Amino acid sequence: MSQNDPFRSLDRQECLRLLAKVPVGRVVYTRQALPAVLPINFCLDTEASVLLCTSPDSDLVRAIDGVVVAFEADEFDAATRSGWSVVVTGRATVVTDPAEHERLSQDGPTSWMPLKDAVFVRIESEIVTGRELNGARGNP
């Protein structure tokens, strides 16, 4: 990559630092053999896992528990044509340990939707990639 290249790859630590700055990302998964994307609020946990909080009746929980998914978050400024995007790829699992569930009930993400019972889903950060765009010029 040249110094004039507006794209820059981000290392794992930069990616995680940026992820911690935003409250919403998108889970990319398979639903009924088709690609699906769902925006959802999240937080980062120990070991840089992505944590989601949703309803136990959610189609999302049934679709992603035990499978590899992608999670993407970003931040962009259209006026300056700059921003970043980070993708975490890893296995998603529902948190079933009672002590861990209790800890996450206190310190984990809270759903923006009212929930009767919360289920936490952890996405392990097996692969973390990101890139930054700095003021690319081109035709509007």
Side-chain angles (χ1 to χ4, degrees):
M1 183 177 343
S2 74
Q3 284 187 323
N4 294 330
D5 191 342
F7 288 102
R8 179 174 74 90
S9 292
L10 302 173
D11 66 28
R12 181 181 177 90
Q13 289 308 314
E14 287 176 296
C15 289
L16 296 174
R17 180 185 60 78
L18 290 169
L19 274 181
K21 290 176 41 176
V22 296
V24 175
R26 286 157 290 285
V27 178
V28 182
Y29 63 104
T30 302
R31 182 176 55 212
Q32 299 175 344
L34 296 172
V37 179
L38 182 69
I40 191 166
N41 64 299
F42 75 101
C43 74
L44 291 180
D45 195 22
T46 58
E47 309 282 326
S49 298
V50 173
L51 288 172
L52 314 176
C53 180
T54 189
S55 164
D57 300 324
S58 164
D59 289 339
L60 177 67
V61 171
R62 288 187 292 280
I64 70 173
D65 187 25
V67 301
V68 174
V69 300
F71 183 84
E72 188 271 345
D74 55 49
E75 190 172 69
F76 288 97
D77 182 331
T80 62
R81 296 183 181 186
S82 61
W84 56 267
S85 175
V86 170
V87 176
V88 172
T89 305
R91 185 165 307 278
T93 54
V94 172
V95 174
T96 57
D97 177 68
E100 183 70 355
H101 190 278
E102 180 61 30
R103 180 184 76 82
L104 294 176
S105 294
Q106 301 300 314
D107 300 330
T110 56
S111 175
W112 288 6
M113 302 295 295
L115 295 177
K116 187 175 184 181
D117 296 309
V119 169
F120 296 100
V121 177
R122 174 176 282 111
I123 302 171
E124 299 297 332
S125 60
E126 296 169 26
I127 301 171
V128 179
T129 60
R131 66 184 192 166
E132 182 179 50
L133 173 64
N134 289 307
R137 299 289 178 233
N139 296 328

